[in-house]
Amino acid sequence: HVEWCASRYRSYRPSDDHYTSYSGEQRPCISPYLDAGAADRATQPADDGPSYVEATDMSPMDGEVASDETGGAWLPPDHVEYCFSRYRSYRPEDNTYQPYSGGPRRQCE
């Protein structure tokens, strides 16, 4: 995982497993070698106590797609590795990549 991240992101820091994006944000490195549980923990904010949002209030906002509609199911590691090797902008959280031509993100198939 660390070797993969270091070869992909020049600003990668193994000490906190983050890199600096072009926009200046600190982002966790999610590689095809990271287990699914670690990827989920890396992309979720720290738990600051109880949340007061009711489950019924968790509907997607306009333009967003519910996770069950994105194919948010478990992806096989070989699929994730294939997509990472093919698309630099691949995100396993939603199985999408950003096309070079611009436009909306697309599903990696």
mmCIF file of all heavy atoms in Angstrom, residues 62-106:
data_model
loop_
_atom_site.group_PDB
_atom_site.id
_atom_site.type_symbol
_atom_site.label_atom_id
_atom_site.label_comp_id
_atom_site.label_asym_id
_atom_site.label_seq_id
_atom_site.Cartn_x
_atom_site.Cartn_y
_atom_site.Cartn_z
ATOM 1 N N ASP A 62 -30.803 16.532 -4.056
ATOM 2 C CA ASP A 62 -30.971 16.630 -5.506
ATOM 3 C C ASP A 62 -29.636 16.428 -6.196
ATOM 4 O O ASP A 62 -28.647 17.036 -5.839
ATOM 5 C CB ASP A 62 -31.550 17.989 -5.898
ATOM 6 C CG ASP A 62 -32.986 18.139 -5.456
ATOM 7 O OD1 ASP A 62 -33.652 17.125 -5.202
ATOM 8 O OD2 ASP A 62 -33.434 19.293 -5.369
ATOM 9 N N GLY A 63 -29.604 15.578 -7.215
ATOM 10 C CA GLY A 63 -28.389 15.346 -7.967
ATOM 11 C C GLY A 63 -27.517 14.245 -7.393
ATOM 12 O O GLY A 63 -26.623 13.763 -8.050
ATOM 13 N N GLU A 64 -27.757 13.835 -6.161
ATOM 14 C CA GLU A 64 -26.972 12.761 -5.581
ATOM 15 C C GLU A 64 -27.661 11.435 -5.851
ATOM 16 O O GLU A 64 -28.870 11.387 -6.075
ATOM 17 C CB GLU A 64 -26.826 12.943 -4.065
ATOM 18 C CG GLU A 64 -25.936 14.073 -3.678
ATOM 19 C CD GLU A 64 -25.709 14.107 -2.171
ATOM 20 O OE1 GLU A 64 -26.127 13.193 -1.466
ATOM 21 O OE2 GLU A 64 -25.117 15.083 -1.739
ATOM 22 N N VAL A 65 -26.889 10.395 -5.824
ATOM 23 C CA VAL A 65 -27.425 9.067 -6.067
ATOM 24 C C VAL A 65 -27.262 8.261 -4.802
ATOM 25 O O VAL A 65 -26.209 8.274 -4.186
ATOM 26 C CB VAL A 65 -26.671 8.384 -7.227
ATOM 27 C CG1 VAL A 65 -27.227 7.003 -7.483
ATOM 28 C CG2 VAL A 65 -26.741 9.236 -8.475
ATOM 29 N N ALA A 66 -28.313 7.597 -4.394
ATOM 30 C CA ALA A 66 -28.236 6.762 -3.200
ATOM 31 C C ALA A 66 -27.202 5.666 -3.405
ATOM 32 O O ALA A 66 -27.017 5.183 -4.518
ATOM 33 C CB ALA A 66 -29.600 6.145 -2.907
ATOM 34 N N SER A 67 -26.542 5.246 -2.323
ATOM 35 C CA SER A 67 -25.448 4.279 -2.445
ATOM 36 C C SER A 67 -25.905 2.958 -3.055
ATOM 37 O O SER A 67 -25.144 2.309 -3.752
ATOM 38 C CB SER A 67 -24.797 4.035 -1.093
ATOM 39 O OG SER A 67 -25.737 3.505 -0.198
ATOM 40 N N ASP A 68 -27.155 2.582 -2.815
ATOM 41 C CA ASP A 68 -27.613 1.331 -3.400
ATOM 42 C C ASP A 68 -27.822 1.461 -4.904
ATOM 43 O O ASP A 68 -27.927 0.479 -5.608
ATOM 44 C CB ASP A 68 -28.888 0.833 -2.720
ATOM 45 C CG ASP A 68 -30.032 1.821 -2.769
ATOM 46 O OD1 ASP A 68 -29.777 3.027 -2.941
ATOM 47 O OD2 ASP A 68 -31.173 1.380 -2.634
ATOM 48 N N GLU A 69 -27.863 2.684 -5.437
ATOM 49 C CA GLU A 69 -28.006 2.889 -6.874
ATOM 50 C C GLU A 69 -26.662 2.979 -7.571
ATOM 51 O O GLU A 69 -26.589 2.887 -8.783
ATOM 52 C CB GLU A 69 -28.796 4.176 -7.139
ATOM 53 C CG GLU A 69 -30.230 4.105 -6.663
ATOM 54 C CD GLU A 69 -30.940 5.428 -6.827
ATOM 55 O OE1 GLU A 69 -30.553 6.195 -7.717
ATOM 56 O OE2 GLU A 69 -31.881 5.691 -6.080
ATOM 57 N N THR A 70 -25.576 3.196 -6.838
ATOM 58 C CA THR A 70 -24.264 3.343 -7.456
ATOM 59 C C THR A 70 -23.537 2.025 -7.563
ATOM 60 O O THR A 70 -22.407 1.979 -8.006
ATOM 61 C CB THR A 70 -23.375 4.303 -6.628
ATOM 62 O OG1 THR A 70 -23.157 3.726 -5.349
ATOM 63 C CG2 THR A 70 -23.969 5.667 -6.524
ATOM 64 N N GLY A 71 -24.166 0.958 -7.123
ATOM 65 C CA GLY A 71 -23.442 -0.301 -7.089
ATOM 66 C C GLY A 71 -22.517 -0.316 -5.893
ATOM 67 O O GLY A 71 -21.425 -0.840 -5.954
ATOM 68 N N GLY A 72 -22.924 0.325 -4.791
ATOM 69 C CA GLY A 72 -22.109 0.459 -3.606
ATOM 70 C C GLY A 72 -21.806 -0.868 -2.933
ATOM 71 O O GLY A 72 -21.282 -0.895 -1.837
ATOM 72 N N ALA A 73 -22.121 -1.953 -3.598
ATOM 73 C CA ALA A 73 -21.824 -3.272 -3.044
ATOM 74 C C ALA A 73 -20.319 -3.505 -3.064
ATOM 75 O O ALA A 73 -19.567 -2.780 -3.693
ATOM 76 C CB ALA A 73 -22.533 -4.332 -3.877
ATOM 77 N N TRP A 74 -19.914 -4.554 -2.388
ATOM 78 C CA TRP A 74 -18.511 -4.932 -2.330
ATOM 79 C C TRP A 74 -17.983 -5.193 -3.731
ATOM 80 O O TRP A 74 -18.640 -5.840 -4.542
ATOM 81 C CB TRP A 74 -18.389 -6.175 -1.464
ATOM 82 C CG TRP A 74 -17.000 -6.675 -1.379
ATOM 83 C CD1 TRP A 74 -16.034 -6.223 -0.537
ATOM 84 C CD2 TRP A 74 -16.408 -7.717 -2.153
ATOM 85 N NE1 TRP A 74 -14.874 -6.923 -0.735
ATOM 86 C CE2 TRP A 74 -15.080 -7.847 -1.726
ATOM 87 C CE3 TRP A 74 -16.865 -8.538 -3.160
ATOM 88 C CZ2 TRP A 74 -14.200 -8.770 -2.279
ATOM 89 C CZ3 TRP A 74 -15.990 -9.455 -3.709
ATOM 90 C CH2 TRP A 74 -14.683 -9.564 -3.259
ATOM 91 N N LEU A 75 -16.782 -4.664 -4.031
ATOM 92 C CA LEU A 75 -16.157 -4.876 -5.329
ATOM 93 C C LEU A 75 -14.995 -5.845 -5.163
ATOM 94 O O LEU A 75 -14.220 -5.721 -4.219
ATOM 95 C CB LEU A 75 -15.628 -3.558 -5.890
ATOM 96 C CG LEU A 75 -16.681 -2.506 -6.190
ATOM 97 C CD1 LEU A 75 -16.028 -1.166 -6.490
ATOM 98 C CD2 LEU A 75 -17.538 -2.940 -7.355
ATOM 99 N N PRO A 76 -14.824 -6.775 -6.085
ATOM 100 C CA PRO A 76 -13.703 -7.712 -5.989
ATOM 101 C C PRO A 76 -12.371 -6.953 -6.102
ATOM 102 O O PRO A 76 -12.263 -5.999 -6.876
ATOM 103 C CB PRO A 76 -13.893 -8.649 -7.185
ATOM 104 C CG PRO A 76 -15.214 -8.346 -7.758
ATOM 105 C CD PRO A 76 -15.673 -7.035 -7.227
ATOM 106 N N PRO A 77 -11.348 -7.370 -5.355
ATOM 107 C CA PRO A 77 -10.045 -6.686 -5.395
ATOM 108 C C PRO A 77 -9.448 -6.605 -6.798
ATOM 109 O O PRO A 77 -8.819 -5.604 -7.136
ATOM 110 C CB PRO A 77 -9.162 -7.530 -4.476
ATOM 111 C CG PRO A 77 -10.114 -8.240 -3.577
ATOM 112 C CD PRO A 77 -11.367 -8.437 -4.374
ATOM 113 N N ASP A 78 -9.650 -7.629 -7.641
ATOM 114 C CA ASP A 78 -9.080 -7.568 -8.986
ATOM 115 C C ASP A 78 -9.766 -6.491 -9.827
ATOM 116 O O ASP A 78 -9.119 -5.848 -10.661
ATOM 117 C CB ASP A 78 -9.117 -8.932 -9.677
ATOM 118 C CG ASP A 78 -10.516 -9.520 -9.764
ATOM 119 O OD1 ASP A 78 -11.378 -9.170 -8.930
ATOM 120 O OD2 ASP A 78 -10.747 -10.356 -10.660
ATOM 121 N N HIS A 79 -11.056 -6.234 -9.588
ATOM 122 C CA HIS A 79 -11.752 -5.159 -10.297
ATOM 123 C C HIS A 79 -11.190 -3.799 -9.868
ATOM 124 O O HIS A 79 -10.903 -2.946 -10.700
ATOM 125 C CB HIS A 79 -13.257 -5.215 -10.017
ATOM 126 C CG HIS A 79 -14.011 -4.048 -10.580
ATOM 127 N ND1 HIS A 79 -14.323 -3.950 -11.916
ATOM 128 C CD2 HIS A 79 -14.474 -2.914 -9.995
ATOM 129 C CE1 HIS A 79 -14.971 -2.809 -12.129
ATOM 130 N NE2 HIS A 79 -15.073 -2.161 -10.980
ATOM 131 N N VAL A 80 -11.012 -3.613 -8.566
ATOM 132 C CA VAL A 80 -10.478 -2.357 -8.042
ATOM 133 C C VAL A 80 -9.066 -2.130 -8.586
ATOM 134 O O VAL A 80 -8.737 -1.032 -9.045
ATOM 135 C CB VAL A 80 -10.480 -2.357 -6.495
ATOM 136 C CG1 VAL A 80 -9.763 -1.142 -5.949
ATOM 137 C CG2 VAL A 80 -11.914 -2.420 -5.979
ATOM 138 N N GLU A 81 -8.239 -3.162 -8.582
ATOM 139 C CA GLU A 81 -6.868 -3.044 -9.087
ATOM 140 C C GLU A 81 -6.874 -2.682 -10.577
ATOM 141 O O GLU A 81 -6.112 -1.830 -11.027
ATOM 142 C CB GLU A 81 -6.109 -4.344 -8.859
ATOM 143 C CG GLU A 81 -4.644 -4.221 -9.172
ATOM 144 C CD GLU A 81 -3.873 -5.444 -8.734
ATOM 145 O OE1 GLU A 81 -4.379 -6.252 -7.953
ATOM 146 O OE2 GLU A 81 -2.735 -5.574 -9.200
ATOM 147 N N TYR A 82 -7.758 -3.329 -11.348
ATOM 148 C CA TYR A 82 -7.872 -3.024 -12.772
ATOM 149 C C TYR A 82 -8.233 -1.554 -12.987
ATOM 150 O O TYR A 82 -7.618 -0.859 -13.785
ATOM 151 C CB TYR A 82 -8.927 -3.919 -13.421
ATOM 152 C CG TYR A 82 -9.348 -3.445 -14.796
ATOM 153 C CD1 TYR A 82 -8.542 -3.684 -15.902
ATOM 154 C CD2 TYR A 82 -10.530 -2.739 -14.978
ATOM 155 C CE1 TYR A 82 -8.910 -3.236 -17.162
ATOM 156 C CE2 TYR A 82 -10.905 -2.287 -16.221
ATOM 157 C CZ TYR A 82 -10.095 -2.536 -17.320
ATOM 158 O OH TYR A 82 -10.465 -2.075 -18.561
ATOM 159 N N CYS A 83 -9.225 -1.069 -12.257
ATOM 160 C CA CYS A 83 -9.672 0.316 -12.425
ATOM 161 C C CYS A 83 -8.585 1.299 -12.004
ATOM 162 O O CYS A 83 -8.366 2.316 -12.668
ATOM 163 C CB CYS A 83 -10.954 0.562 -11.647
ATOM 164 S SG CYS A 83 -12.365 -0.378 -12.310
ATOM 165 N N PHE A 84 -7.888 1.017 -10.896
ATOM 166 C CA PHE A 84 -6.776 1.875 -10.466
ATOM 167 C C PHE A 84 -5.686 1.910 -11.533
ATOM 168 O O PHE A 84 -5.089 2.955 -11.785
ATOM 169 C CB PHE A 84 -6.176 1.389 -9.150
ATOM 170 C CG PHE A 84 -6.745 2.056 -7.933
ATOM 171 C CD1 PHE A 84 -7.355 1.308 -6.947
ATOM 172 C CD2 PHE A 84 -6.644 3.430 -7.751
ATOM 173 C CE1 PHE A 84 -7.866 1.912 -5.806
ATOM 174 C CE2 PHE A 84 -7.159 4.035 -6.622
ATOM 175 C CZ PHE A 84 -7.764 3.285 -5.654
ATOM 176 N N SER A 85 -5.404 0.773 -12.159
ATOM 177 C CA SER A 85 -4.336 0.736 -13.159
ATOM 178 C C SER A 85 -4.746 1.451 -14.441
ATOM 179 O O SER A 85 -3.901 1.966 -15.165
ATOM 180 C CB SER A 85 -3.949 -0.711 -13.472
ATOM 181 O OG SER A 85 -4.992 -1.366 -14.165
ATOM 182 N N ARG A 86 -6.027 1.534 -14.695
ATOM 183 C CA ARG A 86 -6.499 2.151 -15.936
ATOM 184 C C ARG A 86 -6.821 3.642 -15.793
ATOM 185 O O ARG A 86 -6.627 4.405 -16.730
ATOM 186 C CB ARG A 86 -7.746 1.404 -16.398
ATOM 187 C CG ARG A 86 -8.227 1.867 -17.717
ATOM 188 C CD ARG A 86 -9.092 0.870 -18.374
ATOM 189 N NE ARG A 86 -9.521 1.463 -19.632
ATOM 190 C CZ ARG A 86 -9.834 0.796 -20.690
ATOM 191 N NH1 ARG A 86 -9.780 -0.498 -20.665
ATOM 192 N NH2 ARG A 86 -10.209 1.404 -21.773
ATOM 193 N N TYR A 87 -7.320 4.063 -14.632
ATOM 194 C CA TYR A 87 -7.762 5.445 -14.426
ATOM 195 C C TYR A 87 -7.116 6.036 -13.178
ATOM 196 O O TYR A 87 -7.352 5.567 -12.069
ATOM 197 C CB TYR A 87 -9.288 5.501 -14.257
ATOM 198 C CG TYR A 87 -10.045 4.829 -15.370
ATOM 199 C CD1 TYR A 87 -10.728 3.639 -15.149
ATOM 200 C CD2 TYR A 87 -10.069 5.372 -16.646
ATOM 201 C CE1 TYR A 87 -11.420 3.006 -16.164
ATOM 202 C CE2 TYR A 87 -10.760 4.748 -17.672
ATOM 203 C CZ TYR A 87 -11.434 3.574 -17.428
ATOM 204 O OH TYR A 87 -12.122 2.955 -18.431
ATOM 205 N N ARG A 88 -6.334 7.101 -13.337
ATOM 206 C CA ARG A 88 -5.674 7.751 -12.199
ATOM 207 C C ARG A 88 -6.684 8.375 -11.244
ATOM 208 O O ARG A 88 -6.423 8.523 -10.066
ATOM 209 C CB ARG A 88 -4.698 8.821 -12.668
ATOM 210 C CG ARG A 88 -3.448 8.254 -13.282
ATOM 211 C CD ARG A 88 -2.415 9.306 -13.563
ATOM 212 N NE ARG A 88 -1.808 9.896 -12.394
ATOM 213 C CZ ARG A 88 -0.824 9.369 -11.687
ATOM 214 N NH1 ARG A 88 -0.354 8.187 -12.022
ATOM 215 N NH2 ARG A 88 -0.325 9.983 -10.649
ATOM 216 N N SER A 89 -7.845 8.755 -11.733
ATOM 217 C CA SER A 89 -8.846 9.430 -10.899
ATOM 218 C C SER A 89 -9.861 8.448 -10.298
ATOM 219 O O SER A 89 -10.865 8.878 -9.741
ATOM 220 C CB SER A 89 -9.581 10.474 -11.727
ATOM 221 O OG SER A 89 -10.262 9.855 -12.806
ATOM 222 N N TYR A 90 -9.600 7.154 -10.388
ATOM 223 C CA TYR A 90 -10.550 6.145 -9.906
ATOM 224 C C TYR A 90 -10.782 6.261 -8.404
ATOM 225 O O TYR A 90 -9.857 6.439 -7.629
ATOM 226 C CB TYR A 90 -10.047 4.742 -10.242
ATOM 227 C CG TYR A 90 -10.942 3.658 -9.695
ATOM 228 C CD1 TYR A 90 -12.209 3.463 -10.219
ATOM 229 C CD2 TYR A 90 -10.527 2.840 -8.657
ATOM 230 C CE1 TYR A 90 -13.046 2.474 -9.719
ATOM 231 C CE2 TYR A 90 -11.354 1.849 -8.151
ATOM 232 C CZ TYR A 90 -12.610 1.681 -8.688
ATOM 233 O OH TYR A 90 -13.435 0.705 -8.183
ATOM 234 N N ARG A 91 -12.060 6.191 -8.006
ATOM 235 C CA ARG A 91 -12.450 6.178 -6.590
ATOM 236 C C ARG A 91 -13.217 4.898 -6.314
ATOM 237 O O ARG A 91 -14.319 4.700 -6.843
ATOM 238 C CB ARG A 91 -13.371 7.362 -6.261
ATOM 239 C CG ARG A 91 -12.686 8.686 -6.238
ATOM 240 C CD ARG A 91 -13.564 9.760 -5.640
ATOM 241 N NE ARG A 91 -14.942 9.717 -6.074
ATOM 242 C CZ ARG A 91 -15.707 10.781 -6.290
ATOM 243 N NH1 ARG A 91 -15.230 11.985 -6.102
ATOM 244 N NH2 ARG A 91 -16.954 10.645 -6.668
ATOM 245 N N PRO A 92 -12.661 4.007 -5.467
ATOM 246 C CA PRO A 92 -13.376 2.761 -5.184
ATOM 247 C C PRO A 92 -14.645 2.968 -4.366
ATOM 248 O O PRO A 92 -15.538 2.132 -4.401
ATOM 249 C CB PRO A 92 -12.353 1.927 -4.404
ATOM 250 C CG PRO A 92 -11.358 2.895 -3.901
ATOM 251 C CD PRO A 92 -11.353 4.052 -4.844
ATOM 252 N N GLU A 93 -14.758 4.104 -3.638
ATOM 253 C CA GLU A 93 -15.952 4.338 -2.826
ATOM 254 C C GLU A 93 -17.222 4.314 -3.663
ATOM 255 O O GLU A 93 -18.254 3.831 -3.225
ATOM 256 C CB GLU A 93 -15.906 5.704 -2.124
ATOM 257 C CG GLU A 93 -14.677 5.984 -1.316
ATOM 258 C CD GLU A 93 -13.564 6.593 -2.144
ATOM 259 O OE1 GLU A 93 -13.709 7.705 -2.673
ATOM 260 O OE2 GLU A 93 -12.533 5.930 -2.269
ATOM 261 N N ASP A 94 -17.147 4.879 -4.879
ATOM 262 C CA ASP A 94 -18.338 4.886 -5.730
ATOM 263 C C ASP A 94 -18.078 4.234 -7.095
ATOM 264 O O ASP A 94 -18.897 4.337 -7.994
ATOM 265 C CB ASP A 94 -18.886 6.302 -5.899
ATOM 266 C CG ASP A 94 -17.877 7.275 -6.494
ATOM 267 O OD1 ASP A 94 -16.730 6.856 -6.799
ATOM 268 O OD2 ASP A 94 -18.224 8.453 -6.660
ATOM 269 N N ASN A 95 -16.911 3.601 -7.244
ATOM 270 C CA ASN A 95 -16.543 2.887 -8.463
ATOM 271 C C ASN A 95 -16.597 3.784 -9.699
ATOM 272 O O ASN A 95 -17.084 3.397 -10.743
ATOM 273 C CB ASN A 95 -17.437 1.657 -8.654
ATOM 274 C CG ASN A 95 -16.909 0.742 -9.745
ATOM 275 O OD1 ASN A 95 -15.713 0.531 -9.863
ATOM 276 N ND2 ASN A 95 -17.799 0.204 -10.553
ATOM 277 N N THR A 96 -16.080 5.033 -9.577
ATOM 278 C CA THR A 96 -16.113 5.962 -10.700
ATOM 279 C C THR A 96 -14.731 6.522 -10.995
ATOM 280 O O THR A 96 -13.826 6.452 -10.173
ATOM 281 C CB THR A 96 -17.047 7.150 -10.432
ATOM 282 O OG1 THR A 96 -16.547 7.910 -9.321
ATOM 283 C CG2 THR A 96 -18.469 6.707 -10.175
ATOM 284 N N TYR A 97 -14.597 7.100 -12.191
ATOM 285 C CA TYR A 97 -13.388 7.812 -12.584
ATOM 286 C C TYR A 97 -13.798 9.077 -13.325
ATOM 287 O O TYR A 97 -14.930 9.195 -13.810
ATOM 288 C CB TYR A 97 -12.487 6.934 -13.461
ATOM 289 C CG TYR A 97 -13.087 6.612 -14.817
ATOM 290 C CD1 TYR A 97 -12.802 7.384 -15.933
ATOM 291 C CD2 TYR A 97 -13.955 5.532 -14.977
ATOM 292 C CE1 TYR A 97 -13.365 7.095 -17.171
ATOM 293 C CE2 TYR A 97 -14.519 5.236 -16.204
ATOM 294 C CZ TYR A 97 -14.209 6.016 -17.300
ATOM 295 O OH TYR A 97 -14.769 5.744 -18.518
ATOM 296 N N GLN A 98 -12.886 10.040 -13.408
ATOM 297 C CA GLN A 98 -13.136 11.291 -14.115
ATOM 298 C C GLN A 98 -12.530 11.187 -15.505
ATOM 299 O O GLN A 98 -11.317 11.043 -15.637
ATOM 300 C CB GLN A 98 -12.487 12.472 -13.370
ATOM 301 C CG GLN A 98 -12.712 13.810 -14.047
ATOM 302 C CD GLN A 98 -14.164 14.210 -14.057
ATOM 303 O OE1 GLN A 98 -14.821 14.176 -13.030
ATOM 304 N NE2 GLN A 98 -14.675 14.586 -15.210
ATOM 305 N N PRO A 99 -13.322 11.252 -16.569
ATOM 306 C CA PRO A 99 -12.769 11.156 -17.923
ATOM 307 C C PRO A 99 -11.881 12.368 -18.246
ATOM 308 O O PRO A 99 -12.124 13.476 -17.758
ATOM 309 C CB PRO A 99 -14.008 11.164 -18.831
ATOM 310 C CG PRO A 99 -15.178 11.000 -17.950
ATOM 311 C CD PRO A 99 -14.775 11.357 -16.570
ATOM 312 N N TYR A 100 -10.839 12.145 -19.056
ATOM 313 C CA TYR A 100 -9.960 13.235 -19.475
ATOM 314 C C TYR A 100 -10.726 14.319 -20.211
ATOM 315 O O TYR A 100 -10.399 15.490 -20.138
ATOM 316 C CB TYR A 100 -8.849 12.716 -20.387
ATOM 317 C CG TYR A 100 -7.778 11.969 -19.650
ATOM 318 C CD1 TYR A 100 -7.512 10.641 -19.958
ATOM 319 C CD2 TYR A 100 -7.027 12.575 -18.650
ATOM 320 C CE1 TYR A 100 -6.531 9.939 -19.281
ATOM 321 C CE2 TYR A 100 -6.046 11.885 -17.974
ATOM 322 C CZ TYR A 100 -5.797 10.568 -18.299
ATOM 323 O OH TYR A 100 -4.822 9.884 -17.628
ATOM 324 N N SER A 101 -11.767 13.931 -20.910
ATOM 325 C CA SER A 101 -12.536 14.893 -21.698
ATOM 326 C C SER A 101 -13.435 15.766 -20.851
ATOM 327 O O SER A 101 -14.094 16.650 -21.358
ATOM 328 C CB SER A 101 -13.387 14.140 -22.734
ATOM 329 O OG SER A 101 -14.275 13.261 -22.069
ATOM 330 N N GLY A 102 -13.459 15.525 -19.536
ATOM 331 C CA GLY A 102 -14.336 16.305 -18.639
ATOM 332 C C GLY A 102 -15.696 15.658 -18.535
ATOM 333 O O GLY A 102 -15.887 14.500 -18.892
ATOM 334 N N GLY A 103 -16.640 16.422 -18.057
ATOM 335 C CA GLY A 103 -17.991 15.905 -17.896
ATOM 336 C C GLY A 103 -18.137 15.162 -16.586
ATOM 337 O O GLY A 103 -17.249 15.172 -15.739
ATOM 338 N N PRO A 104 -19.259 14.489 -16.423
ATOM 339 C CA PRO A 104 -19.526 13.786 -15.159
ATOM 340 C C PRO A 104 -18.635 12.558 -15.003
ATOM 341 O O PRO A 104 -18.129 12.010 -15.983
ATOM 342 C CB PRO A 104 -20.996 13.391 -15.281
ATOM 343 C CG PRO A 104 -21.251 13.327 -16.744
ATOM 344 C CD PRO A 104 -20.364 14.361 -17.370
ATOM 345 N N ARG A 105 -18.463 12.136 -13.754
ATOM 346 C CA ARG A 105 -17.705 10.916 -13.482
ATOM 347 C C ARG A 105 -18.426 9.730 -14.099
ATOM 348 O O ARG A 105 -19.640 9.734 -14.238
ATOM 349 C CB ARG A 105 -17.544 10.725 -11.970
ATOM 350 C CG ARG A 105 -16.685 11.813 -11.342
ATOM 351 C CD ARG A 105 -16.445 11.553 -9.891
ATOM 352 N NE ARG A 105 -15.583 10.401 -9.670
ATOM 353 C CZ ARG A 105 -14.242 10.422 -9.696
ATOM 354 N NH1 ARG A 105 -13.620 11.564 -9.915
ATOM 355 N NH2 ARG A 105 -13.538 9.342 -9.488
ATOM 356 N N ARG A 106 -17.659 8.711 -14.478
ATOM 357 C CA ARG A 106 -18.235 7.503 -15.090
ATOM 358 C C ARG A 106 -17.913 6.278 -14.260
ATOM 359 O O ARG A 106 -16.899 6.223 -13.583
ATOM 360 C CB ARG A 106 -17.649 7.312 -16.488
ATOM 361 C CG ARG A 106 -18.013 8.417 -17.433
ATOM 362 C CD ARG A 106 -17.459 8.134 -18.806
ATOM 363 N NE ARG A 106 -17.668 9.278 -19.684
ATOM 364 C CZ ARG A 106 -17.054 9.452 -20.814
ATOM 365 N NH1 ARG A 106 -16.160 8.575 -21.236
ATOM 366 N NH2 ARG A 106 -17.301 10.502 -21.553
#
